[in-house]
């Protein structure tokens, strides 16, 4: 017997169901969630355990920072933890990104000279398009010196590590040297200025930025460096005042104003920005987006490769050497060369998948809408804050096979490239393009190319390198052809 028509037609769109989870009692619920997030569970278990108990990748929860002194913030969010629901955060017609860079909490505007810099602007605000276009142009122009400056600073850093190891040390910590390298290369590329030209910034520019970043971000980050309950009481209970770093910020501001006159003038003449607005934006892009982003991403890239026990390093070396050889004697390392290195690129993508440098993304519902996870639809109301936790969305088993495992070749070949539309580290799919009309990272392609360049340079220069399993340090560097 033929089945009836009604039984064969399955509705394409399931009716929305209520979002599971609750915010608990006033004060008690937010406090419990805060303690779970920072202390009792940590961010990953916090999201994982709620996902399991609600049997849903979309649920309600509170996000810190919360009470006692954050009395003006509303910690209620809708968590989105699968690739489908997470994608709502990239749709400017669905979410408003005004002031939600790090969630419901926003550091005092004093940290950015009383200017709402581009990352805090929503696409519906006319200034967003103006400043984002300026940033995209700034990057295009900087590309002339970007590769040269990155390589020369990275090589200087490696020279230092080599001499540490040659002098008999069993390991060489690389974090400080790497941050110096990042700050110097970005200043030259983005601001057009050498930090050494300004003695007030000079050697210690990276430390000035670290302090400025830390005071803005500490209330939202599990640090783990001091015992509980001290961390809760001292780091997560109040907003830090800008006064603690106002002198440092002034030095950086003066550096951009004096040494970066050309780019500041470009922002004024070609994009209609006021001088102060231009300098605060350049400083934020340099210090928060670029320096902050690379300072998180590069250490995880270096240690993931340097600690690998699966033979990845010898395959990377083989590819880098083969490509460089095929390009002919004396060929230069650069963006053109790394375009041909498929395993290097796939490895970079895989590190970005498993350790997305910016783990949380937020957006406020612009209107009532239906949010879709892979198999369920949920009704979201206007004004609700969506909170995407990337480390779990990037391990979505519906999309990624063996999602918890590092697979260096994952993004290779046609099927691997198909997965790029689900790689979200840049606040948008890897197949997307940052424009003035969206909120995707302006430097999406520069970040990936520079990371490929770093890996390629390492294997072009060394036969082997290894990292300590527990520390940010290099324990072995064998120069090409020496042993
Ligand atoms: C590893 C390094 C980097 C990472 C991980 C990173 C990541 C991100 C993310 C996740 C966002 C979106 C934030 C949000 O709205 O939720 C973003 C935005 C942005 N990034 Fe990056 N970024 C990096 C490097 C850079 C660099 C080098 C630049 C420029 C020189 C840059 C410029 C920007 C700008 C201007 C925005 C704001 C986009 C907008 O408001 O439309 N980023 N970045």
């Amino acid at each position: 017997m033929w089945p009836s028509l009604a039984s064969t037609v399955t509705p394409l769109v399931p009716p929305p169901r209520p979002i599971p989870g609750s915010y608990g009692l006033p004060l008690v619920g937010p406090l419990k969630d805060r303690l779970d997030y920072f202390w009792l569970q940590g961010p990953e278990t916090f999201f994982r355990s709620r996902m399991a108990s609600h049997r849903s990748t979309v649920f309600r929860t509170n996000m810190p920072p919360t009470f006692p002194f954050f009395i003006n913030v509303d910690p209620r969010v809708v968590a989105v933890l699968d690739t489908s629901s997470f994608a709502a955060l990239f749709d400017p017609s669905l979410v408003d990104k005004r002031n939600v860079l790090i969630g419901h909490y926003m550091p005092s505007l004093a940290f950015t000279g009383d200017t709402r810099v581009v990352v805090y602007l929503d696409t519906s605000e006319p200034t967003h398009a103006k400043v984002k276009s300026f940033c995209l142009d700034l990057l295009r122009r900087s590309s002339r010196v970007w590769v040269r400056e990155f390589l020369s600073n990275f090589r200087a850093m490696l020279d230092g590590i080599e001499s540490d190891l040659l002098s008999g040390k069993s390991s060489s910590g690389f974090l400080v040297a790497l941050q110096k390298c990042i700050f110097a290369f970005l200043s030259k590329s983005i601001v057009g200025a050498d930090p050494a030209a300004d003695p007030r910034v000079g050697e210690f520019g990276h430390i000035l930025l670290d302090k400025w970043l830390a005071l803005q971000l500490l209330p939202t980050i599990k640090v783990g460096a001091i015992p509980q309950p001290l961390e809760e009481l001292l780091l997560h209970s109040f907003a830090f005042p800008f006064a603690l770093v106002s002198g440092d910020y002034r030095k950086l501001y003066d550096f951009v104003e004096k040494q970066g006159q050309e780019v500041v003038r470009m922002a004024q003449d070609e994009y209609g920005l006021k001088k102060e607005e231009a300098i605060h934006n350049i400083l934020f892009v340099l210090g928060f987006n670029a320096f902050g982003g690379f300072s998180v991403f590069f250490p995880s890239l270096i240690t993931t490769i340097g600690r690998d026990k699966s033979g990845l390093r010898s395959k990377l070396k083989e590819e880098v050497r083969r490509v460089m050889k095929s390009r002919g004697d004396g060929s230069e390392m650069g963006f053109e060369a790394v375009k041909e290195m498929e395993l290097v690129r796939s490895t970079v993508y895989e590190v970005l998948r498993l350790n997305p440098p910016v783990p949380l993304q937020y957006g406020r519902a612009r209107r009532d809408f239906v949010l879709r996870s892979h198999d369920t639809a949920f009704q979201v109301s206007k004004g609700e804050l969506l909170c995407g936790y990337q480390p779990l969305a990037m391990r979505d088993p519906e999309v990624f096979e063996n999602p918890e495992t590092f697979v260096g070749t994952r993004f290779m070949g046609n099927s691997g490239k198909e997965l790029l539309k689900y790689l979200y580290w840049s606040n948008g799919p890897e197949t997307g393009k940052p424009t003035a009309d969206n909120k995707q990272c302006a430097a999406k392609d520069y970040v990936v190319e520079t990371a490929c360049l770093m890996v390629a340079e390492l294997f072009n220069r060394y036969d082997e390198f290894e990292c300590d399993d527990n520390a940010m340090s290099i324990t072995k560097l064998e120069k090409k052809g020496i042993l």
Side-chain angles (χ1 to χ4, degrees):
M1 201 178 105
W2 295 102
S4 77
L5 191 61
S7 65
T8 57
V9 180
T10 40
L12 287 174
V13 183
R17 63 175 261 217
I19 299 171
S22 89
Y23 301 117
L25 293 173
L27 293 177
V28 178
L31 184 64
K32 179 187 178 301
D33 284 339
R34 166 187 160 171
L35 295 181
D36 279 348
Y37 187 86
F38 284 135
W39 185 352
L40 304 170
Q41 298 182 317
E44 182 154 340
T45 311
F46 175 89
F47 285 111
R48 239 184 232 290
S49 61
R50 283 157 178 74
M51 183 165 80
S53 61
H54 300 308
R55 293 166 186 248
S56 173
T57 50
V58 175
F59 53 85
R60 297 183 185 285
T61 184
N62 298 289
M63 272 297 282
T66 54
F67 311 99
F69 294 112
F70 291 94
I71 41 178
N72 289 326
V73 299
D74 177 355
R76 293 174 298 173
V77 300
V78 173
V80 289
L81 305 180
D82 64 86
T83 51
S84 168
S85 57
F86 200 106
L89 288 165
F90 312 144
D91 184 342
S93 74
L94 296 181
V95 295
D96 187 323
K97 297 278 288 179
R98 194 179 315 235
N99 299 343
V100 293
L101 175 67
I102 56 173
H104 51 68
Y105 164 67
M106 182 178 170
S108 156
L109 269 188
F111 281 97
T112 47
D114 292 326
T115 301
R116 281 179 64 238
V117 291
V118 63
V119 271
Y120 287 112
L121 299 178
D122 180 52
T123 45
S124 64
E125 298 178 84
T127 315
H128 175 266
K130 244 186 354 183
V131 188
K132 180 88 177 268
S133 305
F134 164 63
C135 292
L136 292 165
D137 198 9
L138 193 59
L139 278 159
R140 250 189 318 271
R141 293 183 195 209
S142 74
S143 61
R144 284 179 242 149
V145 293
W146 188 280
V147 172
R148 187 188 71 214
E149 286 303 330
F150 173 72
L151 285 176
S152 72
N153 282 288
F154 186 55
R155 285 170 184 160
M157 166 191 148
L158 292 172
D159 289 343
I161 295 175
E162 266 178 48
S163 60
D164 261 4
L165 295 176
L166 279 176
S167 73
K169 284 191 185 165
S170 60
S171 68
S172 173
F174 62 79
L175 208 52
V176 175
L178 182 64
Q179 281 211 321
K180 272 190 185 176
C181 152
I182 294 171
F183 181 64
F185 117 77
L186 288 170
S187 297
K188 281 288 219 35
S189 311
I190 296 174
V191 183
D194 188 344
D198 184 338
R200 294 166 72 215
V201 172
E203 274 284 281
F204 302 107
H206 62 289
I207 297 176
L208 304 182
L209 284 179
D210 281 337
K211 280 162 65 183
W212 173 73
L213 283 169
L215 292 196
Q216 293 173 76
L217 295 173
L218 273 175
T220 64
I221 292 178
K222 176 180 166 69
V223 181
I226 54 173
Q228 292 288 15
L230 288 181
E231 180 168 327
E232 279 326 287
L233 293 171
L234 301 178
L235 302 186
H236 299 145
S237 295
F238 44 84
F240 292 92
F242 171 64
L244 294 173
V245 285
S246 56
D248 298 338
Y249 190 75
R250 187 74 232 174
K251 289 179 195 163
L252 292 161
Y253 184 95
D254 292 346
F255 168 64
V256 175
E257 182 179 30
K258 291 203 187 82
Q259 309 295 332
Q261 284 176 17
E262 203 180 311
V263 285
V264 175
R265 207 166 308 119
M266 172 182 133
Q268 292 176 267
D269 297 348
E270 296 178 33
Y271 293 92
L273 304 186
K274 294 197 193 76
K275 186 177 172 193
E276 294 73 34
E277 189 185 15
I279 297 175
H280 292 302
N281 268 292
I282 294 168
L283 200 43
F284 195 87
V285 167
L286 170 76
F288 199 108
N289 296 112
F291 175 81
F294 279 128
S295 293
V296 176
F297 175 38
F298 279 169
S300 81
L301 181 61
I302 294 173
T303 52
T304 302
I305 298 173
R307 290 173 187 162
D308 177 80
K309 312 273 188 277
S310 74
L312 175 67
R313 285 192 296 280
S314 65
K315 292 185 192 124
L316 287 168
K317 184 175 75 178
E318 189 280 316
E319 179 181 81
V320 171
R321 303 279 172 93
R322 180 170 41 75
V323 169
M324 294 312 284
K325 193 167 171 210
S326 74
R327 294 176 63 82
D329 284 347
S331 68
E332 290 282 317
M333 179 59 74
F335 285 169
E336 283 306 312
V338 299
K339 282 208 165 59
E340 296 174 40
M341 302 176 186
E342 219 195 345
L343 178 62
V344 168
R345 184 167 300 265
S346 174
T347 302
V348 165
Y349 288 144
E350 183 68 342
V351 174
L352 286 165
R353 182 184 76 86
L354 277 179
N355 299 303
V358 182
L360 290 157
Q361 258 93 62
Y362 294 88
R364 200 172 286 288
R366 223 181 263 288
R367 52 181 167 81
D368 294 353
F369 73 91
V370 175
L371 175 74
R372 296 188 202 296
S373 66
H374 292 299
D375 52 3
T376 318
F378 302 93
Q379 187 63 51
V380 171
S381 303
K382 180 178 175 180
E384 290 198 278
L385 188 62
L386 303 190
C387 162
Y389 183 63
Q390 280 228 26
L392 289 191
M394 292 297 92
R395 293 171 202 203
D396 183 341
E398 296 278 331
V399 169
F400 298 107
E401 220 173 283
N402 293 327
E404 304 292 330
T405 311
F406 179 93
V407 181
T409 51
R410 187 183 297 275
F411 292 96
M412 286 173 74
N414 288 341
S415 56
K417 290 198 178 68
E418 274 297 301
L419 291 175
L420 288 175
K421 58 176 178 285
Y422 301 111
L423 184 67
Y424 294 163
W425 71 270
S426 63
N427 193 40
E430 192 57 26
T431 45
K433 190 171 171 325
T435 69
D437 301 324
N438 65 30
K439 292 289 289 178
Q440 189 159 24
C441 174
K444 166 190 162 259
D445 296 334
Y446 289 78
V447 170
V448 171
E449 300 305 322
T450 312
C452 291
L453 201 59
M454 173 189 266
V455 177
E457 176 64 11
L458 269 172
F459 288 101
N460 200 33
R461 185 168 159 140
Y462 299 107
D463 280 338
E464 178 58 308
F465 92 99
E466 282 174 18
C467 289
D468 191 292
D469 281 337
N470 303 306
M472 296 283 180
S473 59
I474 293 185
T475 50
K476 186 172 178 184
L477 269 185
E478 278 175 20
K479 253 205 148 140
K480 190 174 181 175
I482 285 188
L483 292 177

